Amino acid sequence: MQRLSPSSPLLTLPGAVSAEGVDEGVAAHYGDLFREQRSLSDGSGVVDLSHRGVVAVTGDDRLSWLHLLLTQHVSELPAGRATEALILSANGHIEHALYLVDDGTTTWAHVEPGTQEALLTYLESMKFFYRVEVADRTAEFAVVHLPAGSIAPVPDGVAVRETPFGRDLFLPRADLESYAAEHGPAVGLLAYEALRVEQHRPRLGFETDHRTIPHELGWIGSAVHLQKGCYRGQETVARVQNLGKPPRRLVFLHLDGSEVHLPAHGAEVRLAADGPEGRKIGFVTTSVRHHELGPIALALVKRNVPTDAPLLAETTAAAQEVVVEP
């Protein structure tokens, strides 16, 4: 995924180290990863997510139209209520993840960096006769995250997603630097990701691959509504829900803290009993260092892996916790 948003002005702050890969353009940290994590856990700090894509949908038919395309029930979404939704392929594989809120006139969504162009192309192709307009607003608006418990104010007129994990603000990009200076400290993406892993929250492109279906990641309910009308890929969702089980499941891993290096995204997971040359039964999706839990990770493993089986992430010993029931 290509990054299409500008680099953040917060990268000029003291100690800022740029993130890499798809997250390039915002700070990975500002010099003290664990202090930044503790700040978020305590309800303070501002996380710069300005590299994420911002998409806006306007028009009288926006919610009823989105309802036809998304996995979530949004036709009667009240103004100010946050939700999340997916767009699936015809075979039920996850293509896009949208984090939504409607402000009464506009439906705002933030998406993974660099995915907004493909998303807009798909949405434009599905407009037909509906009274809707879709626009990429990434150049004008920056996503800012305030942790749960934060007392930082939301500026007038700014759309905000209020969730159990905190608030996502669609802040005018020109105000990003001054807002962070007034309501910081600025917190890097690695701290935000550490809490995401602790909370077992999947992320598109990290916990997903080309064949991931929503059931594997626990996105049923939070992002997929099982009692709504038709949408692309619904047949797969209904079939797995009613007749079977997903082939893989998300797990949370406690990694051996004596290892210096964390297993990378895609690192192969095996049963510890089979050793490092054993049969692959999954892969690491995200690994982080947590200020209290130590090294932890999310991984996608085969559904039939025993829930109490010790695992190896490459050569690192790992104990698993169930996220998605087998």
Side-chain angles (χ1 to χ4, degrees):
M1 292 183 291
Q2 181 182 3
R3 183 177 61 81
L4 300 177
S5 55
S7 293
S8 171
L10 303 192
L11 281 173
T12 64
L13 293 178
V17 175
S18 179
E20 298 177 347
V22 70
D23 290 323
E24 181 186 357
V26 297
H29 62 83
Y30 294 92
D32 193 337
L33 173 61
F34 289 160
R35 177 189 59 77
E36 294 169 37
Q37 285 186 33
R38 288 191 290 270
S39 178
L40 287 187
S41 296
D42 293 341
S44 62
V46 173
V47 183
D48 178 9
L49 300 179
S50 62
H51 63 317
R52 292 184 64 80
V54 175
V55 173
V57 184
T58 55
D60 292 343
D61 295 337
R62 65 188 183 281
L63 290 176
S64 59
W65 175 70
L66 285 169
H67 185 79
L68 299 173
L69 305 178
L70 304 180
T71 57
Q72 187 58 275
H73 196 300
V74 297
S75 61
E76 300 168 2
L77 184 67
R81 179 179 296 176
T83 192
E84 56 189 68
L86 309 175
I87 290 177
L88 307 180
S89 72
N91 293 323
H93 302 140
I94 299 169
E95 292 189 344
H96 294 281
L98 294 79
Y99 298 85
L100 299 151
V101 69
D102 191 88
D103 66 7
T105 61
T106 302
T107 302
W108 297 88
H110 65 79
V111 299
E112 287 299 323
T115 66
Q116 64 267 28
E117 183 175 350
L119 173 61
L120 262 72
T121 298
Y122 171 69
L123 294 178
E124 286 285 352
S125 75
M126 301 301 291
K127 284 170 63 173
F128 302 115
F129 56 84
Y130 289 94
R131 296 171 296 173
V132 294
E133 295 295 332
V134 296
D136 181 357
R137 306 297 299 275
T138 309
E140 303 158 74
F141 290 89
V143 180
V144 167
H145 177 77
L146 304 175
S150 172
I151 61 172
V154 177
D156 291 341
V158 169
V160 57
R161 299 183 66 253
E162 185 88 36
T163 78
F165 309 107
R167 288 175 287 171
D168 297 337
L169 279 57
F170 293 84
L171 193 71
R173 191 169 287 273
D175 297 340
L176 173 60
E177 193 168 9
S178 60
Y179 187 85
E182 186 173 356
H183 304 296
V187 172
L189 193 65
L190 287 181
Y192 178 84
E193 285 287 280
L195 269 60
R196 178 181 71 82
V197 172
E198 177 193 13
Q199 296 154 352
H200 306 165
R201 292 189 288 136
R203 182 179 173 189
L204 182 77
F206 288 72
E207 278 62 59
T208 68
D209 59 18
H210 66 283
R211 59 191 180 98
T212 306
I213 60 175
H215 305 73
E216 296 178 323
L217 303 184
W219 253 329
I220 301 299
S222 64
V224 178
H225 194 287
L226 293 175
Q227 278 77 50
K228 61 157 288 186
C230 293
Y231 55 87
R232 189 174 69 176
Q234 186 194 24
E235 295 83 359
T236 297
V237 171
R239 184 170 61 251
V240 173
Q241 185 69 22
N242 296 324
L243 301 177
K245 296 284 188 178
R248 303 176 297 181
R249 59 183 179 88
L250 189 68
V251 296
F252 178 78
L253 301 180
H254 291 275
L255 301 172
D256 180 1
S258 65
E259 295 287 344
V260 174
H261 300 290
L262 292 172
H265 172 80
E268 295 184 349
V269 174
R270 297 175 171 83
L271 294 172
D274 294 342
E277 302 302 321
R279 178 175 59 93
K280 175 184 173 182
I281 52 102
F283 64 94
V284 172
T285 58
T286 307
S287 60
V288 296
R289 296 192 186 277
H290 191 276
H291 70 289
E292 290 182 338
L293 300 176
I296 55 177
L298 295 173
L300 204 57
V301 302
K302 294 181 181 296
R303 178 176 57 84
N304 60 2
V305 172
T307 58
D308 59 349
L311 304 177
L312 283 177
E314 285 190 333
T315 58
T316 301
Q320 60 170 312
E321 289 184 13
V322 174
V323 176
V324 174
E325 293 291 337

